Amino acid sequence: MLFRSKSTGRHAAPAPPRWWRRWFRPALAADDGMSTAEYAIGTIAAAALAAVLYSVVTGDSVVGALTGLVQQALTPGF
């Protein structure tokens, strides 16, 4: 038990208020970090997302759109 519900002894510190126990005790008792399996799933998901984004950015439509945007920006429209 992290905190005693009642103080013991004459000079014992009082127990923390109820709001403290309600909000911060679960955070202190929570499981920190990820396990190895979670790291593996996260790494695979990140690699899949990177592959999808790479294929989208290097596709012909994106390259053509960016080229057209740069040409339009550099062409004077007086």
Side-chain angles (χ1 to χ4, degrees):
M1 189 161 143
L2 188 61
F3 295 104
R4 296 181 180 161
S5 59
K6 294 182 180 179
S7 309
T8 57
R10 182 176 167 192
H11 298 290
R18 293 182 76 176
W19 65 265
W20 195 95
R21 287 191 302 258
R22 183 177 14 172
W23 290 100
F24 292 109
R25 190 169 181 183
L28 295 175
D31 185 19
D32 294 338
M34 292 192 303
S35 67
T36 305
E38 290 170 334
Y39 276 118
I41 297 297
T43 303
I44 291 171
L49 179 63
V52 168
L53 289 176
Y54 179 76
S55 65
V56 166
V57 170
T58 57
D60 292 334
S61 62
V62 174
V63 172
L66 289 175
T67 304
L69 184 65
V70 170
Q71 286 179 351
Q72 182 181 6
L74 296 177
T75 304
F78 294 111

